Amino acid sequence: MRTRTGYSPALMRTLTDSPAWHSLKQHAEALRPISLRQLFEKNPDRFEQLSLRHEDLLVDFSKHRITPETLQLLCALARQEQLETWRDRMFGGEPINSTEHRAVLHVALRNRSERAICVGDRDVMPDVRRVLEQMRTFSEQVRSGKLLGFTGQRFRSVVNIGIGGSDLGPHMVCEALAPYQNEAFRPHFVSNVDGAHLHETLASLDPATTLFVVASKTFTTQETMTNAASARDWLVRHLGSESAVASHFVAVSTNHAAVQAFGISAERTFEFWDWVGGRYSLWSAIGLPISLALGWDSFEQLLAGAHALDEHFRAAPLETNLPVILGLVGIWYRNFLGASSYAVLPYDQHLHRFPAYLQQADMESNGKRVRRDGEAVDYATGPVLWGEPGTNGQHAFYQLLHQGTEMVPADFLAAAEPHHPLTKHHVKLLANFLAQPAALAFGRTLEEARAELTKAGLSESEIEGLAPHKVFPGNRPSTSIVYRKLTPYTLGKLIALYEHKIFVQGVIWSINSFDQWGVELGKQLAQRIIPELDASHDPVSHDASTRRLILYLRQLRGSG
Ligand code: G6Q
C-alpha cells in the first residue's frame, strides 16, 4: 500500500536502526574520550585532510571532534539516505515539498547557465528571465531618476514592507553589502506589526521621495497588509491624492488579484511562483530592494555566486562537497554527540543580520518532529541556531561557550580584506577570529592554569583557590570559514552554502524542510483574539490564563 505522500510503509525502516547509524554510534563512543589536543598531536595532516576550498572560500573542519573516518561514515549515512537522489530531485523540479505538493526551485532563480529547469514539462527559465529583466529595468529607472515620484521628484528611499521570508533575506543582504549602497538612495525595512516599526521609519522619510515595495507571496499576511495600508494612508495624507499610490507603491507577490485590489497595477507587480519558498526567496523579485539599493550588477553577482555554489553542490563528490560536509558535521553533533544548539559567529560587522537570517532558514526548515511520511521521529532534528558578530559576543556569551556545561558547535566567519581603510582594526579582528576557535578547541589545563598563576607570583593557597576557575576544558568544536572579501558574489556563495546545508540535514532526517505548518496555530488564534481585545463580553472560550490576560489588558487599555 502506498500512502498519500507516496511512501510505502512496508519498505520503511527507522533511521536509528540502519547500518550507517549504528556504525556512527559506535564510532562516536570510540572517539568520545579523545580530545582535539590528542587528535591534532596524532595527525599533523589534519588541516590538509579536513579542510575544503571552493574558489577563495576556505572551510576548515579540522577543529571538529572528527577524523577522516568520521567523514567516511557520515558520507555512508548520506548515501544510505539517498542524498544524491534527493538533490537531483530538487534540481529536477520534482514536488519534494510533499505537504504542499510543490517543487523547490530557488536554484532556478539563480541559474546562470543555459540549462532548462522544468516543473512538470514546463521550463521555468523563460519566466525567471522575464521577471529579472523587469526588475533590472525598474531598478535602473528608479536609480537613474528616469522614474519619478508623484510630485516629480527623484526617489531617495525605498521601504520594503514584508515579514519573515519577505523581509529577512533582502534586509540581511542590504546590510551585508552596505558598502555597495549609494548614499543618494537608501533602503529601509518594516516588518513588525508593532506600529513603532512603521511609525519610526516613516518619521525620517519624505513622502515625495519614498518608494514602497509591498512584498508578500500571499498578499494576505496580517502584519504586511496592516503596515501597507498605514503606509498608503501616510502617503495619501501627505501628498494629498489617492493617485499618488500608483507612482509610489509596487508589489512583489504571487497573488495578483489581491495586489490589484490594493490599488497596484499589473505593470508595477513583480511576480514569483509557488515553487519559491518564502525563506528561499531573496533571489526572486523579493530581492527587488536589493537591486534597488545596490544596483543591478551587484544583484547579478549575488545570483552568480549562489549559482557557482549550486554547481559545486550538484556535481562535487560528497566527500569534497562543502554544504554536504557542513550538513553532515551538524548531524554528527546533533545526533551522535548530543549538541542542542549551534552558533553562527561572523567576524564581519556587515554580517550582523546573518545569524537572524539563518535562524529562519534553518529553524523554520528543519524544526520538525514528523518525517515526510507523517511518523514521529525518534531522533533529534534541527538545533537552536543563534549568534552575534564577533568580537561583540566575546564580551557577552562566549563565557558559556568556553566554560559552560553546554557544547555549542560554532561557525566562525571572516574576510581577509575589509571594505574600510582601518587596517589596524582588521588585524585585531582577525586575531580574535583565530584566537577564539583555538581557545575553544585546545583550552587550558589545570597544570597550565597553575603554572600561569605561579608565574604571576600568587601564593600556593591563592593558586589552589583560583586555578580551577581558570581551567578551559577545551574540546569545543568549530568550523572556520574564510573568504577574501565580502563581495556580492561571495555573499551569494555563503547563503547558498547554508541553504544546501539545511537541505542535506533535512534529507538525513527524512523531514520536509520546505513547509512551515508550525507557524499556523498562533496566527489563527491571534485572528480570533483581535476583536476580543476591544469587546466587552467575557472571552470565556479561552483558557483561564489567556482569558485573564485579555481582561487585564482591556482594563489597562481603559476598555474593560
Ligand atoms: C518562509 C515563511 C514565512 C513567510 C512569511 C511572509 O518560508 O513561509 O516566513 O515568508 O510568513 O509570508 P508572505 O510573503 O506570504 O507575506
Side-chain angles (χ1 to χ4, degrees), residues 265-400:
S265 68
E267 303 86 72
R268 289 291 178 96
T269 304
F270 297 81
E271 186 187 7
F272 66 118
W273 308 274
D274 70 359
W275 42 263
V276 183
R279 55 195 172 276
Y280 297 91
S281 65
L282 70 89
W283 323 98
S284 70
I286 289 291
L288 188 63
I290 304 174
S291 64
L292 283 163
L294 309 176
W296 189 251
D297 288 350
S298 291
F299 188 67
E300 278 207 315
Q301 280 299 305
L302 187 78
L303 300 183
H307 176 65
L309 211 289
D310 293 343
E311 292 296 274
H312 165 77
F313 179 52
R314 223 162 59 85
L318 300 189
E319 287 73 8
T320 53
N321 196 308
L322 275 171
V324 170
I325 300 300
L326 195 62
L328 292 177
V329 166
I331 297 275
W332 173 244
Y333 288 109
R334 187 78 180 112
N335 297 115
F336 299 97
L337 297 184
S340 57
S341 93
Y342 164 43
V344 176
L345 308 169
Y347 278 62
D348 198 324
Q349 186 57 31
H350 286 127
L351 285 179
H352 72 107
R353 295 284 303 167
F354 198 49
Y357 165 78
L358 287 180
Q359 212 161 49
Q360 181 193 31
D362 206 305
M363 292 167 72
E364 203 166 70
S365 297
N366 286 344
K368 312 272 162 78
R369 51 170 288 286
V370 293
R371 303 186 314 212
R372 283 185 223 104
D373 59 15
E375 291 294 317
V377 297
D378 60 351
Y379 43 83
T381 62
V384 175
L385 188 155
W386 56 284
E388 279 288 324
T391 60
N392 292 358
Q394 291 176 204
H395 300 266
F397 55 80
Y398 277 38
Q399 165 63 38
L400 184 149

Side-chain angles (χ1 to χ4, degrees), residues 440-484:
L440 285 167
F442 307 118
R444 181 163 59 197
T445 63
L446 188 58
E447 294 67 48
E448 288 166 346
R450 280 207 187 104
E452 262 189 39
L453 294 171
T454 309
K455 212 170 146 197
L458 271 72
S459 72
E460 215 22 67
S461 70
E462 283 172 323
I463 292 172
E464 281 318 297
L466 203 50
H469 299 278
K470 302 204 84 167
V471 170
F472 286 66
N475 219 18
R476 302 193 170 204
S478 64
T479 305
S480 298
I481 301 180
V482 179
Y483 39 90
R484 184 185 300 283

